[in-house]
Each structure stands twice: as structure tokens, then as C-alpha cells.
Amino acid sequence: TGLLRVTVTKPCEESTVSKILELVENSSEKKAVSEQFITRFAKYYTPCVVYAALALFLIPTLMLAFLPAPPAFLAGTTWDNWLHRALTFLVISCPCALVISVPLSFFGGIGGASRLGILVKGSNYLEALGPTETVVFDKTGTLTDGTFSVTELIGAPGVSETELIDIAAAAETFSTHPIAQSVRAYRGA
């Protein structure tokens, strides 16, 4: 609904849109503290749990198979009992919910924000917003309703109100900004 004149001064790779896209794509490099902790924790915990479950299955099974008189705790058990116990241990001990949910929640937050036009450079910035209770913006017409009206005209000495509003309305002819619209509405244009 307005006039737009564009002069290309840089190649596409150097444009602001390309830089914004790069920031969104590389946001995973700036991980939150909790996400870094979970990643380090899972790096050691998950293999330990898998090896423990494997040992819980293999050691009793091998003892049943190769020992002529298995220990008392193996009496009346079979290899499928130990497989069931090992799988149960693996499911209960697996930190999947913790390991997957933390990074996934940040990923979902960054993705959801980008769909709404909000750019978050990384999950560390998203985590920093967690305790925020109040946000104040000064983006008239972008984040607010943007309904304005002219209430008073104060021109320079020697400039009449009519001349002032004519000049202001002419300057705002091609603008769709809410303040420009209120100036044109006051003039009656």
C-alpha cells in the first residue's frame, strides 16, 4: 500500500536476511547452561546404563550356562528372566526423557519464536528470558494497536498551522505508518 524504492548494494549472501537465517541456523551452537549440563551428563550416563543392562543380562546367563552349580540367587531362573530384568533396568534407568526433553524444549522454543518473527540467537538467550515478568516495547504499530490522532500543532515562528500540517502530510504521503496515517487524517487527505 506504499511506495518502496530499493537499491541493491551487496550480494545476497551478505544481506541482512541471510545473516538472520544464519543466526537461526547456528542458534544451536549457543546452548543454555542446563542444556550443556544435560549433554555432558548423557555422554557418560547413557553408555554406563547400557553396559550395566548388558552385564545384568550376560553375567547371570553365562553363569547359568557354564557353571555346574550356579549361585543361589540364580536358582529357578532362565536366560529369558534375566533378559526381562535387563530390559526393565534399561527402561527405568534410561534418561531419555531428560536427555531429549531439555534440548527439544529449547529447539521448540526457538522454532516457535521464529515462526512468529522473533529471532533468538541461541538457547542461552531463551533461558535468560525465563525469569522475565515484564517486557516493554517501543515499536508503534508493530507490537501495539497503533491508533493515533493529532491533538495539537506547534510550528516554528512564522509557520501557520495550515502550512505545517500541509508540509507534514506531504512528507507522509507514501507512508503506511500509524503516525503518518493520523497526520494525513488530521489534514483530511
Side-chain angles (χ1 to χ4, degrees):
T1 60
L3 179 65
L4 180 65
R5 293 188 182 147
V6 178
T7 303
V8 178
T9 59
K10 295 179 182 179
C12 179
E13 299 81 30
E14 295 177 22
S15 70
T16 304
V17 173
S18 294
K19 290 177 183 177
I20 290 171
L21 184 59
E22 183 182 336
L23 285 173
V24 171
E25 289 174 349
N26 296 330
S27 66
S28 63
E29 294 174 4
K30 297 178 180 174
K31 293 183 177 182
V33 175
S34 58
E35 193 174 6
Q36 290 173 358
F37 170 75
I38 291 297
T39 303
R40 281 193 312 270
F41 175 76
K43 182 179 177 181
Y44 299 106
Y45 182 78
T46 304
C48 289
V49 167
V50 170
Y51 291 132
L54 192 60
L56 183 61
F57 169 68
L58 287 178
I59 293 172
T61 303
L62 292 174
M63 290 173 80
L64 282 171
F66 295 111
L67 290 179
F73 73 91
L74 293 176
T77 62
T78 60
W79 69 271
D80 59 335
N81 294 120
W82 290 103
L83 177 63
H84 185 264
R85 290 177 186 181
L87 291 175
T88 303
F89 171 78
L90 186 62
V91 169
I92 291 171
S93 301
C94 186
C96 290
L98 186 64
V99 171
I100 293 172
S101 67
V102 172
L104 192 60
S105 65
F106 285 115
F107 179 74
I110 291 170
S114 67
R115 275 193 298 279
L116 296 172
I118 302 167
L119 299 176
V120 181
K121 290 183 180 181
S123 58
N124 56 338
Y125 299 105
L126 197 60
E127 186 175 55
L129 288 173
T132 305
E133 293 181 15
T134 305
V135 179
V136 179
F137 292 98
D138 185 22
K139 290 295 287 174
T140 307
T142 305
L143 299 173
T144 62
D145 185 25
T147 306
F148 298 95
S149 62
V150 177
T151 58
E152 185 179 3
L153 293 173
I154 303 172
V159 178
S160 70
E161 286 186 3
T162 306
E163 188 179 0
L164 176 63
I165 196 65
D166 287 343
I167 293 169
E172 301 290 3
T173 300
F174 297 112
S175 178
T176 58
H177 192 276
I179 293 176
Q181 292 172 351
S182 68
V183 168
R184 289 196 313 267
Y186 184 83
R187 183 178 177 269

